[in-house]
Amino acid sequence: MTTAPAAPSAVVNGVDVVAVAAAVTACPAVAGLHAGPRGGPATYLPGQQVDGVRVGPHSVQIAIRARWGVPVGEVAAQIRHALRALAPDRRVDVVIADLTDPPPAPAGPADPEAVACKH
């Protein structure tokens, strides 16, 4: 009988980094995790890298790309709520590293002078 190899551990300092990444990206105000500039938050696991998540002994740092128009306090509240059960004894630091583009401006009426310039 052959058994499948165990999945590599995603637990760092007692926190499941893959579960944290999934919970954060499920937040409506989050467009995705963000690696940021070189040296930005990331967790290195066997065979994979989880950008935007760094777990320390007392805190979890999250770097994200937020959705346009959502107040910063709401973004942070959603993430902290999502991580309450996954990192209960840790401070959650949220870095908004990027924003999605704003929605396109509504098309207005044509410029009346441009329309009237036919000679």
Side-chain angles (χ1 to χ4, degrees):
M1 181 167 131
T2 309
T3 355
S9 176
V11 176
V12 175
N13 288 323
V15 176
D16 185 335
V17 177
V18 173
V20 165
V24 170
T25 56
C27 294
V30 175
L33 292 166
H34 195 282
R38 185 176 194 142
T43 301
Y44 302 94
L45 300 169
Q48 70 175 343
Q49 175 178 329
V50 181
D51 291 331
V53 178
R54 180 181 294 146
V55 177
H58 305 292
S59 66
V60 176
Q61 184 181 16
I62 305 295
I64 58 136
R65 183 170 192 232
R67 297 200 187 280
W68 180 267
V70 181
V72 172
E74 175 62 23
V75 175
Q78 285 181 20
I79 293 169
R80 289 184 177 122
H81 180 75
L83 299 185
R84 188 175 302 158
L86 296 172
D89 299 329
R90 301 242 175 19
R91 182 183 73 238
V92 176
D93 299 325
V94 178
V95 175
I96 298 178
D98 195 10
L99 294 171
T100 59
D101 291 333
D111 183 3
E113 289 183 25
V115 173
C117 287
K118 295 183 179 181
H119 293 290

